[in-house]
């Protein structure tokens, strides 16, 4: 079979498209063993309708094996496990297939898991392996408890940096400013976000969107206390990222480290944010450019992100380190209200 490119291609303005760097060295984000899980003569597969579910619905996956080895697999036991982040297996199913022919895709069976007893949002991993062989594969999925309310607490939530929000700040209050849809063109509105990364490179594709390369965050930061995440993009970030608008922090103090940072195309390398926190106007301000206003039932992840942000802002851990005037914050916005 043919791959577009095994290594990064430096011949057209740099295209960081490979799983290896230009010197055929590992970039560190995948091991040979992980690569062979999905690129091998025999590959276990899972057909899932969704990877984000609530506790009111079952997790389901149809298990298949793509086998292109030299001989059929006989009396094969296909083991399916659902594993928590701490490594504990919480659900197991085994299927015995008398014969898996070579050169075919064989349906094995269906995995079904009832998550109704899960009380907090969690990431799980579905692992499928063929016993007594090196063949295995795995997929992450997320479960979010249903029926949880969003409570603002003592946080003033607004989409305007207006007189009311400034008054709350002057009293020493906490303000969550939701800027989605109101960022100036030159301050980020022209930057096309995307869950997928830059294709080839933006210099050779006439600035084809998306212009970003995923997110960067600190999963140990208390703003993510009840929002399971790694430091990088994973599938649960699809909804927040695709419902967001970039903020370019070029005019803000250099010491501000975004709570959620978007990685820019390497031709620009701007400091991009989806969320950051500052002291401003006498109070504490968290600015977020993800759409957290229009949260339908299908936006489980963004709802949980908002809960986690509010949980953090209502706690003693919400203590921004950098002072920024409200006038400087308003420079991000296309319109401000008095």
């Amino acid at each position: 079979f043919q791959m577009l490119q095994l290594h990064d291609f430096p011949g057209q303005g740099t295209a960081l498209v490979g799983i290896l760097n230009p010197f055929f060295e590992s970039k560190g984000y995948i091991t040979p063993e992980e690569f062979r899980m999905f690129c091998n003569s025999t590959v276990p597969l899972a057909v899932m309708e969704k990877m984000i579910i609530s506790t009111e619905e079952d997790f389901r996956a149809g298990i298949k094996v793509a086998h292109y080895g030299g001989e059929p697999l006989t009396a094969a036991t296909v083991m399916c496990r659902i594993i928590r982040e701490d490594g504990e297996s919480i659900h197991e199913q085994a299927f015995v297939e008398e014969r898996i022919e070579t050169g075919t895709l064989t349906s094995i069976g269906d995995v079904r898991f009832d998550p109704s007893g899960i009380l907090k949002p969690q990431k799980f991993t579905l692992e499928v392996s063929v016993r007594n062989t090196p063949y295995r594969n795995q997929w992450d999925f997320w479960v979010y408890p249903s029926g949880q309310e969003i409570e603002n607490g003592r946080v003033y939530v607004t989409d305007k940096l207006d007189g009311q929000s400034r008054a709350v700040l002057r009293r020493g209050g906490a303000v969550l400013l939701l800027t989605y849809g109101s960022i100036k063109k030159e301050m980020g509105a022209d930057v096309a976000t995307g869950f997928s990364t830059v294709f080839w490179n933006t210099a050779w594709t006439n600035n084809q969107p998306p212009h970003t390369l995923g997110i960067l965050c600190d999963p140990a930061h208390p703003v993510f206390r009840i929002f399971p995440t790694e430091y990088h993009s994973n599938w649960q970030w699809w909804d927040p990222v695709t419902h967001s608008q970039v903020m370019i922090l070029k005019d803000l103090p250099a010491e501000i480290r975004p709570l959620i940072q978007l990685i820019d195309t390497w031709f620009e390398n701007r400091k991009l944010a989806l969320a950051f926190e500052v002291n401003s106007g006498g109070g504490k301000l968290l600015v977020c450019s993800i759409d957290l206003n229009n949260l339908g039932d299908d936006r489980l992840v963004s709802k949980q992100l908002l809960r986690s942000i509010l949980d953090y802002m209502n706690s003693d851990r919400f203590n921004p380190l950098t002072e920024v005037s409200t006038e400087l914050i308003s420079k991000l916005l296309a319109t401000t209200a008095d």
Side-chain angles (χ1 to χ4, degrees):
F1 66 93
Q2 181 180 6
M3 294 183 68
L4 171 65
Q5 193 79 5
L6 183 64
H7 69 305
D8 291 342
F9 182 63
Q12 291 179 339
T14 303
L16 306 180
V17 295
I19 60 170
L20 303 174
N21 70 20
F23 306 103
F24 287 90
E25 298 167 337
S26 173
K27 291 181 177 180
Y29 68 78
I30 191 169
T31 65
E33 293 75 21
E34 289 169 326
F35 188 77
R36 284 195 290 271
M37 285 197 299
F38 59 84
C39 185
N40 209 333
S41 59
T42 303
V43 176
L45 299 169
V47 180
M48 292 171 280
E49 184 177 328
K50 56 176 72 174
M51 303 175 86
I52 309 292
I53 63 170
S54 77
T55 50
E56 291 184 339
E57 52 190 327
D58 288 349
F59 171 78
R60 301 184 183 189
I63 306 304
K64 302 176 184 287
V65 173
H67 178 51
Y68 290 82
E71 301 292 337
L73 299 175
T74 57
T77 299
V78 179
M79 191 68 197
C80 306
R81 298 195 305 151
I82 293 177
I83 305 167
R84 282 195 322 220
E85 284 195 273
D86 61 6
E88 182 178 345
S89 177
I90 62 168
H91 180 81
E92 296 186 357
Q93 285 180 244
F95 303 91
V96 177
E97 194 72 21
E98 290 304 319
R99 188 177 179 88
I100 299 177
E101 297 289 350
T102 189
T104 62
L105 178 66
T106 301
S107 294
I108 303 298
D110 294 328
V111 170
R112 181 170 175 171
F113 168 63
D114 177 8
S116 58
I118 293 171
L119 302 178
K120 64 179 183 179
Q122 295 182 58
K123 183 186 85 169
F124 297 91
T125 300
L126 169 64
E127 180 189 80
V128 180
S129 60
V130 182
R131 187 172 289 170
N132 298 322
T133 76
Y135 308 127
R136 71 181 191 91
N137 208 346
Q138 64 184 40
W139 304 264
D140 295 335
F141 68 96
W142 290 259
V143 176
Y144 295 88
S146 59
Q148 294 188 344
E149 297 297 323
I150 296 174
E151 298 181 358
N152 293 355
R154 62 175 182 263
V155 177
Y156 179 67
V157 181
T158 180
D159 58 2
K160 298 179 180 66
L161 193 55
D162 57 9
Q164 179 61 35
S165 55
R166 291 172 194 262
V168 173
L169 290 171
R170 282 195 299 271
R171 294 195 298 269
V175 173
L176 173 58
L177 176 61
L178 301 177
T179 60
Y180 176 76
S182 62
I183 302 297
K184 288 180 182 175
K185 259 175 101 172
E186 65 273 19
M187 300 307 292
D190 277 353
V191 180
T193 61
F195 181 77
S196 61
T197 61
V198 169
F199 170 73
W200 203 249
N201 65 62
T202 51
W204 277 70
T205 59
N206 195 29
N207 210 32
Q208 172 183 317
H211 305 147
T212 57
L213 297 153
I215 67 108
L216 177 67
C217 68
D218 177 6
H221 194 288
V223 74
F224 301 114
R225 188 183 75 85
I226 55 174
F227 184 82
T229 185
E230 299 95 342
Y231 70 89
H232 52 78
S233 298
N234 207 334
W235 286 108
Q236 89 276 31
W237 281 100
W238 184 90
D239 184 80
V241 170
T242 55
H243 294 83
S244 69
Q245 193 173 36
V246 174
M247 295 181 286
I248 301 175
L249 305 189
K250 61 181 181 179
D251 293 334
L252 299 187
E255 60 265 29
I256 291 178
R257 177 124 189 200
L259 298 170
I260 305 171
Q261 182 165 351
L262 274 173
I263 304 168
D264 200 8
T265 166
W266 54 93
F267 288 97
E268 296 284 356
N269 197 29
R270 296 161 293 195
K271 189 174 183 180
L272 309 181
L274 295 182
F276 66 92
E277 61 181 354
V278 293
N279 291 312
S280 187
K284 295 182 285 188
L285 177 67
L286 195 151
V287 184
C288 181
S289 56
I290 297 168
D291 182 6
L292 299 180
N293 277 320
N294 304 295
L295 296 175
D297 293 337
D298 59 334
R299 299 192 61 202
L300 287 171
V301 178
S302 292
K303 279 185 175 181
Q304 188 60 42
L305 179 59
L306 177 57
R307 289 189 191 99
S308 197
I309 290 172
L310 290 169
D311 171 79
Y312 167 61
M313 294 182 70
N314 278 290
S315 74
D316 294 337
R317 299 180 298 270
F318 181 38
N319 287 302
L321 301 176
T322 307
E323 184 75 31
V324 176
S325 69
T326 54
E327 288 71 28
L328 201 53
I329 297 294
S330 68
K331 289 184 177 181
L332 290 167
L333 308 176
T335 58
T336 56
D338 296 328

